Amino acid sequence: MTKKEYNIPPSHPRYISLQLREAIADGVAEGLSAPEGLIAHGRGEAFDYLLGECTLPPAITAIRAAGATMLLAKHPVISVNGNVAALAPEHVIELSDLIKARIEVNIFHYSKMRSLAIINRFQELGAEEVLGEHKDSSIPGLDSARAQCTSAGIYKSDVVLVPLEDGDRAEALRKMGKDVITIDLNPLSRTSRLCSITIVDNLVRALPKLIETIKELDTYDDIQLMEIKTSFDNNQNLKEMLNLINDRLGSMVFQSGI
Ligand code: PTJ
């Protein structure tokens, strides 16, 4: 999240959550995020409550698998949308620099103006290249605007990170033979179930952890990385996450707040 002064005292018990909410509201006001992005954010907030607003162990496992997969990639791409541009542009740029991944804007609620605003935001923050303005290729079997992509970016990629995604594109990208990694707070979403690796965590917590993990895994050889990648089972990981949420809810004791 771009550091900005919002009118929320740091002592507020919901400080971080409220800051993120302001960042998304700003994103809409600045023409980066779609109004629908507010709804998606609210759904994310609800799931974050269920996780206890922290990175749970299955997410750490998924982050390691994602890190290994990204380090093994020949053409990694990070696909960004309006919510990602509002919440975590600096982390996306750091990650792209670290693994030499291309950044491509690909939005669901398409408008040329918003697409350009997102490209500009990333460039203002130091991204050298942001693909997505001139789309010259398309993802087969996908009817939405998200099918349009660039041949040098998403089309050519072997590994794509698609945070806050819609399931249809994830499915189509997988059918193209790509490894598709998502970050999604909802372990029940189609995207979560259809991706190769799903990190069930908040984007703003997961990206810095992914960056740290990649720095650590950078000393591993390809055989060790492949072992981490192939030993990951997405369905099993989602099941563990749901079991943890279930246990957490079952053991909650409510106390008077005062
Ligand atoms: O900019 P656009 O036009 O591409 O639109 C972006 C949104 C996010 C509006 C669009 O992709 C969309 O409608 O997404 P969905 O289908 O609502 O899915 C968003 C998913 O992200 C939901 O499962 C949310 O629970 C989840 N989510 C929301 N906020 C976060 C999140 N996951 C991780 N971190 C978050 N901060």
Side-chain angles (χ1 to χ4, degrees):
M1 181 176 48
T2 309
K3 286 265 173 288
K4 241 175 136 175
E5 288 302 314
Y6 295 115
N7 199 14
I8 304 160
S11 57
H12 193 291
R14 306 279 320 140
Y15 177 69
I16 294 175
S17 178
L18 291 175
Q19 291 255 46
L20 295 179
R21 205 178 264 191
E22 294 289 338
I24 279 285
D26 266 6
V28 175
E30 290 165 15
L32 292 172
S33 315
E36 293 86 347
L38 297 170
I39 299 168
H41 187 78
R43 182 156 45 159
E45 282 186 348
F47 277 100
D48 215 2
Y49 258 85
L50 300 181
L51 302 183
E53 295 175 314
C54 61
T55 306
L56 293 173
I60 300 281
T61 306
I63 286 170
R64 271 182 87 73
T69 303
M70 293 186 105
L71 280 169
L72 286 166
K74 294 207 164 27
H75 303 290
V77 169
I78 308 171
S79 175
V80 294
N81 62 24
N83 284 43
V84 175
L87 292 177
E90 291 95 342
H91 294 316
V92 168
I93 294 168
E94 190 179 348
L95 179 62
S96 114
D97 288 344
L98 192 63
I99 55 162
K100 306 283 166 272
R102 298 184 110 161
I103 299 173
E104 178 162 336
V105 175
N106 184 291
I107 56 179
F108 183 73
H109 305 283
Y110 183 77
S111 89
K112 177 125 189 129
M113 213 201 258
R114 197 157 64 82
S115 197
L116 289 176
I118 296 171
I119 291 173
N120 285 341
R121 171 56 53 91
F122 276 94
Q123 284 175 340
E124 275 163 21
L125 292 170
E128 279 177 21
E129 177 199 48
V130 186
L131 300 171
E133 186 177 355
H134 305 292
K135 297 173 197 288
D136 57 353
S137 203
S138 71
I139 302 166
L142 193 60
D143 292 330
S144 69
R146 275 195 149 171
Q148 304 311 311
C149 65
T150 72
S151 51
I154 287 175
Y155 193 87
K156 184 178 169 190
S157 67
D158 53 349
V159 174
V160 208
L161 173 64
V162 290
L164 279 74
E165 172 67 356
D166 76 290
D168 280 8
R169 187 174 65 136
E171 189 175 18
L173 289 170
R174 284 212 70 190
K175 281 189 183 151
M176 289 175 82
K178 302 176 191 302
D179 286 317
V180 186
I181 303 167
T182 194
I183 302 171
D184 190 336
L185 279 160
N186 178 1
L188 300 168
S189 72
R190 276 192 85 238
T191 305
S192 290
R193 288 181 286 115
L194 289 168
C195 280
S196 328
I197 300 172
T198 300
I199 301 166
V200 180
D201 197 11
N202 198 316
L203 177 77
V204 301
R205 290 191 301 268
L207 279 180
K209 289 199 170 66
L210 181 58
I211 289 166
E212 280 317 302
T213 304
I214 286 174
K215 286 181 184 164
E216 180 210 323
L217 294 179
D218 204 25
T219 56
Y220 285 39
D221 63 34
D222 283 3
I223 295 170
Q224 290 171 303
L225 292 174
M226 193 54 93
E227 166 62 24
I228 296 172
K229 178 183 170 180
T230 53
S231 63
F232 182 79
D233 179 335
N234 202 48
N235 285 335
Q236 180 59 30
N237 192 273
L238 291 175
K239 208 162 142 192
E240 283 169 27
M241 189 56 90
L242 286 170
N243 284 339
L244 266 182
I245 292 172
N246 206 13
D247 291 350
R248 220 184 140 259
L249 292 179
S251 64
M252 277 184 102
V253 180
F254 291 95
Q255 294 167 338
S256 159
I258 303 164

